[in-house]
Amino acid sequence: MTSFVRRLTVGSTIPHVPVHHQKFKPTIEIPAFPLLPHNNQRPLGIALRSRKYWRVEAVGPVGRSEGGDGTKKAGGGPGPGPCSYSLGDRTTEVERRERNRTVEVVVAAGVTVVLGVGNRVLYKLALVPLKHYPFFLAQLATFWYVLVYFSVLYLRYHAGIVTDEMLSMPKAPFLAVGLLEALGAATGMAAGAILSGASIPILSQTFLVWQILLSIIFLGRRYRINQLLGCFLVAVGVIISVASGSSSGHSLKEAGMFWSLLMIVSFLFQAADTVLKEVIFLDAAQRLKGGSIDLFVVNSYGSAFQALFICLLLPFLSKLWGIPFSQLPNYLKDGAACFLNIGGTLSSRCDGAPLLPLLFVIVNMGFNISLLHLLKISSAVVSSLASTFSVPISVYVFTLPLPYLGVASSLPTGFVAGAIILVTGLLIYAWTPSGSTAALPSPSN
């Protein structure tokens, strides 16, 4: 009787399946799993009996340079054998993905630093025409963001980028984000009205401390010694480069402990806001089965709830700016006229509007989006470090002859030393000892 041996070729196409006819005995026994004799009995075994044999052999695709029947690689060596698998290829792929992710984080951090510098500089320029209406500028930015973010969200939804599953995410976290942002703005305005400008950069370094503590508590993060040391050096570098040579220490004593603590609480609210956004991204990855929630979903709902709480806090906020609540409508009307640079005598004091305020609003929006994107692909602490790095660069930019600002400011006495310490802290934070793993996994994993 004739038996058949068929050889199946694995590939995208199977142009030819060779069939080989070989002669075999009618029955062949293949002993397997032999068992040791017991009590001098005959050894046991398992035999396969068949009159037709099928041999299935996996080979490479026909016509390809890897493997196959008689094929060779381009380098002249033999191709991989049947059912071969290269672990080296898998390792290379993982390394390539890690490299790409590192490059993405570095590029996103660079963009965030650039936009952060532009945000600080343009805010100073925007206050040149609106120096009597800073509260109007703050409210303009808040409600403008709601309009723009939801418009972009609408377009992205109809383009299929934003899905119904993303929009059905629980709204309670977004409500908390809006509340934290509104409280951070309110307490920051209250303390900022009393504290001097030189003391605020010192107190702002508590923002990074709060982020580390909150990420340890709520995200279970564990940081290496070099990361904690790097964050400490970054904070020290900012304080030295910005506040050196000023009377910041004396101004802190004059302002009193209460206002300093209130500013620290303000940075606590802001740090809790960023960590909560990271929690939202992590939760979305689970709910969307490995997917990622769109940035504009987070920004839109967060900004909407922030605007809601700002409206509720308007009587309190207007009082902080020295504006009686009964006069707030007239104040906003005059602020709008100055922003549009109309109104006769009023417009003569608003040179630079509306261009400078509009540039600030646009760049500030881009900065917020880039900061959230960096948080999404890295962590809240990394985004904070990128934002912090923009502070001394902004100080240096203000020493340049900028329009509308008049005489350029001089560098603080310890600026160079502080900048060196800051960069050293960033390098120490980014350094990964051999054989260790990163302490900050990506939310989008």
Side-chain angles (χ1 to χ4, degrees), residues 167-211:
L167 297 178
S168 64
M169 291 283 295
K171 300 303 183 292
F174 300 120
L175 178 68
V177 165
L179 177 60
L180 289 172
E181 290 180 347
L183 290 176
T187 53
M189 286 181 183
I194 304 298
L195 296 171
S196 67
S199 60
I200 294 177
I202 297 177
L203 298 174
S204 68
Q205 300 314 303
T206 58
F207 176 70
L208 186 58
V209 177
W210 286 126
Q211 279 192 327

Side-chain angles (χ1 to χ4, degrees), residues 80 170 201 279 289 291 303 328 353 436:
V279 171
K289 298 179 175 60
S303 298
L328 184 60
S436 65

Side-chain angles (χ1 to χ4, degrees), residues 237-383:
V238 170
I239 293 173
I240 294 176
S241 62
V242 175
S244 59
S246 66
S247 57
S248 55
H250 180 67
S251 62
L252 282 173
K253 292 179 181 179
E254 284 186 345
M257 184 61 67
F258 172 77
W259 298 107
S260 298
L261 290 176
L262 186 62
M263 179 61 76
I264 292 174
V265 171
S266 170
F267 289 116
L268 169 61
F269 289 137
Q270 297 175 44
D273 165 53
T274 59
V275 173
L276 179 56
K277 288 178 180 177
E278 191 171 354
V279 171
I280 291 175
F281 284 120
L282 291 170
D283 180 63
Q286 295 180 351
R287 292 178 178 271
L288 301 177
K289 298 179 175 60
S292 179
I293 190 171
D294 190 76
L295 293 177
F296 285 92
V297 176
V298 180
N299 273 339
S300 299
Y301 286 106
S303 298
F305 286 118
Q306 179 190 7
L308 172 64
F309 287 111
I310 287 292
C311 289
L312 297 177
L313 293 172
L314 270 182
F316 171 72
L317 294 176
S318 63
K319 186 177 181 180
L320 290 176
W321 288 98
I323 307 168
F325 187 67
S326 59
Q327 299 179 13
L328 184 60
N330 290 332
Y331 171 85
L332 295 178
K333 179 182 177 181
D334 292 342
C338 183
F339 170 74
L340 297 174
N341 208 353
I342 59 176
T345 306
L346 182 64
S347 63
S348 62
R349 299 180 299 170
C350 304
D351 292 336
L355 177 61
L356 294 179
L358 276 178
L359 284 176
F360 163 70
V361 171
I362 293 172
V363 173
N364 181 259
M365 185 180 303
F367 173 66
N368 289 330
I369 294 173
S370 67
L371 201 63
L372 188 60
H373 173 68
L374 181 59
L375 184 151
K376 179 181 178 181
I377 64 176
S378 59
S379 70
V381 173
V382 172
S383 64

Side-chain angles (χ1 to χ4, degrees), residues 1-4 24-28 49-53:
M1 181 175 294
T2 303
S3 300
F4 297 88
F24 287 97
K25 294 180 181 181
T27 301
I28 294 179
R49 299 173 180 269
S50 175
R51 296 186 179 276
K52 179 179 289 189
Y53 292 83

Side-chain angles (χ1 to χ4, degrees), residues 405-437:
L405 292 183
V407 180
S409 60
S410 58
L411 280 177
T413 56
F415 177 81
V416 176
I420 293 175
I421 294 175
L422 187 150
V423 173
T424 302
L426 290 175
L427 294 176
I428 292 176
Y429 180 90
W431 174 62
T432 303
S434 58
S436 65
T437 56

